Structure formats: structure tokens, C-alpha cells
Amino acid sequence: MVRQVIKIDEEKCNGCGLCVNACHEGAIALVRGKAHLMRDDYCDGLGDCLPSCPTGAISFEQREAAAYDEAAVLKAKEEKAAKEKQIQARAMAGGCPGSRMMQFDRTSRKPQPSGTEQLQGAVSELSQWPVQIKLAPVNAPYFEGADLLVAADCTAYAYASFHQDFIRGRVTLIGCPKLDDVDYSEKLTEILCRNELRSVTIVRMEVPCCGGLEQAVKTALQNSGKMIPWQVRVISTDGRILS
């Protein structure tokens, strides 16, 4: 059948991933750093993704396409949710060591100075495991009353004093919206709703694709309905704090 679906211009796409989060049907995914319409029958043709694109890479087109299949979309969402619950259950039950929930006591030692001063024998400020957003449980003791750090995974490599200036005193979650085929806002919303957090700090790189992480956190904050103080810090590719 001929109907209206979205069209993505790869030349204009910067791989930010905002359209992936905006598509409620899961029709769009990042492939090799570019947004792609993965299935015609997942696209309802309403264009919720268009306003989210900062480069104007998404438009409508009339062409031969499979009919929108709402039942298939709902089934895919259910399967995705079930898979995420399995990951969380394994983490809580102490399954794979990579996703097993752990908490570390960093309060019994003298903290190191913050800033760019480098100390010989510097130690980690990480207070919990896992740190990947996809693997983190939605409810854990360390979330209660915590200051949450949501960081792009490149930031810790770019900024020299990341542990001292950002991880210290916070529960840390990391991710990359350009590489992970997942809507972080859903998981983050659940974490915010199930736990009483004191604040949220977003640390992202200056590159456009990191905008997807910032947008996911903002969406989660809005969806949670909670008034939680939050801030965004931007790191340059050469390791400086820009804002």
C-alpha cells in the first residue's frame, strides 16, 4: 500500500539519537552512527520524531510501505520490557558478575583533593556496581537519598579528574545514546519514580550525539513528576569543562 512514512537523510543526520528516543513505536535505531527506519510497519506516519531532529534530517514521504502494525509494536515493547526485567532480576539475584549489584564503602578513608591535581596512587571514588544504565537495577539501597550522576561514558576518559570532581559522593550511571539501541528515558524514569533522589547531575561531551543522553534525563525528570534539582556539565573533547 502507498502511505505516509518518515524519510531520513543520512547526509544531514549527525547521529545524536534524539529521534530514537522520540519514536514511541521503536521504528528508528542508530546503525553505524546514523539513524535508520528499521521497519515500515512500526512507523505510524505521525512524525513524533520530526521536531526532535536538530539537523532537519527527517521528513515525510509517500511511498509503497507495509501497513502500520500496532499489534507488532506492542509485542516488541513487551518483549523489550521483559528482557530488561530479566537483566535486572539477574543483577539482584547475583547472576553474571558483570551485572551483579554491589555497593562499596568510600566513607572510611580520607577523600582526595578535587580539581586537576594528580596524586600518586589515586583510588576509585565509585560507590556502586553496575554503572551501565542498561544493567543498573531500577531499585537499589544505594539510590535512596543519593545524588545521581548520569554521564556519557566518554567523559571519564576526556576529563582527568572525573572521579574526584564528579563521581565522589554520587551514585554513577553511564551510557552512550549513539551506541546503545535503547531508550534511556524509560529506565531513568523508573529509577526516579521508585527512589527518593536528592539531585541529578548530567555530564556529557560537547559532541551532538551526547544530546541524546541529556534529553533522556530531562524526559525522565519530567515523566517522574518530581521536583529534583538537576544540572548539566559539558566536557570538551580536549578535556575542559565548558559549562
Side-chain angles (χ1 to χ4, degrees), residues 92-200:
M92 296 296 289
C96 170
S99 59
R100 185 179 302 148
M101 187 183 71
M102 292 181 280
Q103 190 168 2
F104 315 123
D105 181 14
R106 304 296 188 189
T107 61
S108 59
R109 59 176 174 78
K110 184 178 180 180
Q112 299 180 61
S114 60
T116 58
E117 180 182 357
Q118 300 299 303
L119 298 178
Q120 185 176 4
V123 295
S124 173
E125 296 288 348
L126 191 65
S127 64
Q128 101 293 333
W129 186 268
V131 295
Q132 287 285 345
I133 297 173
K134 292 196 300 182
L135 298 179
V138 296
N139 188 262
Y142 47 71
F143 281 130
E144 283 303 314
D147 295 301
L148 179 64
L149 169 66
V150 182
D153 50 15
C154 291
T155 55
Y157 292 94
Y159 186 67
S161 299
F162 194 81
H163 275 249
Q164 286 72 40
D165 291 359
F166 292 117
I167 293 182
R168 177 188 295 169
R170 295 186 176 100
V171 168
T172 303
L173 296 178
I174 67 170
C176 176
K178 189 169 185 177
L179 299 180
D180 286 344
D181 182 18
V182 65
D183 182 1
Y184 290 141
S185 64
E186 295 179 5
K187 181 72 166 288
L188 293 172
T189 297
E190 199 166 358
I191 290 173
L192 292 173
C193 289
R194 291 196 182 192
N195 305 278
E196 294 302 323
L197 295 166
R198 293 193 305 181
S199 69
V200 179

Side-chain angles (χ1 to χ4, degrees), residues 189 192-193 215-226 230:
T189 297
L192 292 173
C193 289
Q215 185 60 42
V217 178
K218 289 180 178 179
T219 299
L221 286 165
Q222 183 177 16
N223 291 344
S224 73
K226 294 183 177 181
W230 62 277

Side-chain angles (χ1 to χ4, degrees), residues 42 70-86 186:
Y42 281 14
E70 184 178 9
V73 170
L74 292 175
K75 182 179 179 182
K77 287 183 176 180
E78 290 173 356
E79 291 175 348
K80 179 181 177 182
K83 184 177 180 180
E84 290 181 351
K85 286 183 179 179
Q86 288 177 356
E186 295 179 5

